[in-house]
Amino acid sequence: QVQLVESGGGLVQAGDSLRLSCTASGRTDSGVAMGWFRQAAGKEREFVAGISRSGGSRKNADSVKGRFTISRDNAKNTVYLQMISLKPEDTAVYYCAAKSAPFTVLVPINPFEYDYWGQGTQVTVSS
């Protein structure tokens, strides 16, 4: 089993930057692909960014392309989401997710493909 814990959320102003962190514990030795999802009030959970097991492949949603960057530090079992130029529409609960092998794609984008989820961290962007 894998446990995920997010941190770094908070209340910021439009245009500010924020970095989210997600640390994995448990059985992570076999490697996991990881991703970030968000869910705004009254909306469906949506893919934000994902990174492959090795960190060699990444994907970003069109809505955050050029503003958000996902990265990982396998030595620390941690994945990050660096967010810049935040907008009010970025306000949501952000969830970290992990998927274990086997992999059909390097970076899953469907939430149903992921095996483990964190508790979520709130990001609120005021105007």
Side-chain angles (χ1 to χ4, degrees):
Q1 299 296 308
V2 176
Q3 295 80 45
L4 305 174
V5 179
E6 302 102 328
S7 63
L11 174 63
V12 298
Q13 297 179 1
D16 284 354
S17 299
L18 203 61
R19 188 179 75 163
L20 305 183
S21 298
C22 174
T23 298
S25 61
R27 293 194 58 81
T28 62
D29 54 307
S30 61
V32 290
M34 302 189 74
W36 287 97
F37 293 79
R38 67 186 182 186
Q39 187 165 20
K43 296 186 177 181
E44 298 286 335
R45 184 173 300 186
E46 66 173 347
F47 173 78
V48 175
I51 189 166
S52 63
R53 177 176 56 183
S54 67
S57 297
R58 304 175 185 180
K59 288 183 179 179
N60 280 34
D62 289 341
S63 60
V64 305
K65 192 172 298 181
R67 299 189 299 118
F68 291 9
T69 302
I70 187 171
S71 62
R72 68 187 300 165
D73 184 341
N74 287 339
K76 297 180 179 179
N77 289 322
T78 300
V79 64
Y80 306 95
L81 185 67
Q82 180 66 55
M83 306 181 291
I84 65 172
S85 302
L86 283 163
K87 305 174 181 179
E89 50 262 46
D90 294 320
T91 295
V93 176
Y94 283 70
Y95 296 93
C96 174
K99 185 194 185 312
S100 60
F103 302 101
T104 56
V105 296
L106 292 177
V107 184
I109 62 173
N110 191 316
F112 297 108
E113 297 180 83
Y114 285 83
D115 303 308
Y116 309 99
W117 293 85
Q119 82 289 345
T121 184
Q122 177 71 45
V123 172
T124 302
V125 184
S126 65
S127 59

